[in-house]
Amino acid sequence: MHERKIGDRLVSAIGLGAMPMSIEGRPDTERAIATINAALDAGITLIDTANSYHRDAGEEGHNEELVARALRARGVSDDEVLVATKGGTQRPGDGSWIKNGRPERLKQAAKDSARRLGVEAIGLYQFHRPDPEVPFAESMGAIAELLDEGVIQMAGVSNTDVAQINEANDVLDGRLVSVQNQFSPRFRSSHDELEHCDRLGIAFLPWSPLGGIAKAAELGSQHRAFADVADELGVSVYQVTLAWELALADVVIPIPGASRPESILDSVGAAEVRLTEDQMARLSAS
């Protein structure tokens, strides 16, 4: 598995998005654990989770506990696999998502996440989504305090624009290491943020890199160039999509979600796909 950098950590060029294992439509625990194990066996060393990745009320941290259980069963240490988690959103159990960027909430959420993950310090903690009811700098101030207090080792942001990336980095005194935004052939409005991260040397982690759980199956039909290149190379359209994202910049580390071993194993193959300049041009123009 090829590697890329997040802060001072080398991680696999493809990560595992663990969210589908805990939200609506989630698999049984046995299949979820098998999916995580398949990812680890394939060389994945980055797993993305969040305290709000759950389905029902009263089960905050479901996904974090699932990931921790799988890693603990294999005896995997936090030095071997970087678990990135997030705080700043909550789910009341009715299918909705609520933003909560209050500093006191973020600090307590991080400590709760560390406990669920079974670590002294979270490897990478990201502010999940700006809260319009709380000044962004105040939320990021709490993240800075978590860094200073040693509750987290590295800090990132998610769902932010270029101005917010700069503001976050300023509040963190240059310690921002990652930006996790939605990006895929279907959703390219974060391309400016991707390029900005490339200039700053900050990891860019596309979420829903295949277009989202409900739309991934339509990838080839909606974006014909990706299907054509997949046919040319004899690989899946999903591998071509992730390979395209990897080729956009060395800071890009896609985190495709998976709830089946077969899905993440297909995604891992993207790290070996090499696209020509002509293929890249066609994909980017489609």
Side-chain angles (χ1 to χ4, degrees), residues 2 23 37 40 51 66 68 70 72 87 89 101 106 138 145 148 151 161 164 177 186 196 203 206-207:
H2 297 278
I23 62 168
N37 282 331
L40 297 172
N51 66 341
L66 180 67
R72 186 168 56 249
T89 60
L106 284 172
E138 289 186 13
E145 290 177 12
D148 294 337
V151 178
D161 59 28
Q164 289 167 329
V177 302
R186 184 172 71 92
H196 192 58
W207 63 266

Side-chain angles (χ1 to χ4, degrees), residues 120-149:
E120 292 185 6
I122 296 170
L124 172 59
Y125 193 70
Q126 300 176 111
F127 179 32
H128 205 157
R129 192 176 289 272
D131 182 349
E133 302 298 321
V134 181
F136 186 67
E138 289 186 13
S139 298
M140 290 310 304
I143 304 297
E145 290 177 12
L146 289 167
L147 272 174
D148 294 337
E149 295 169 10

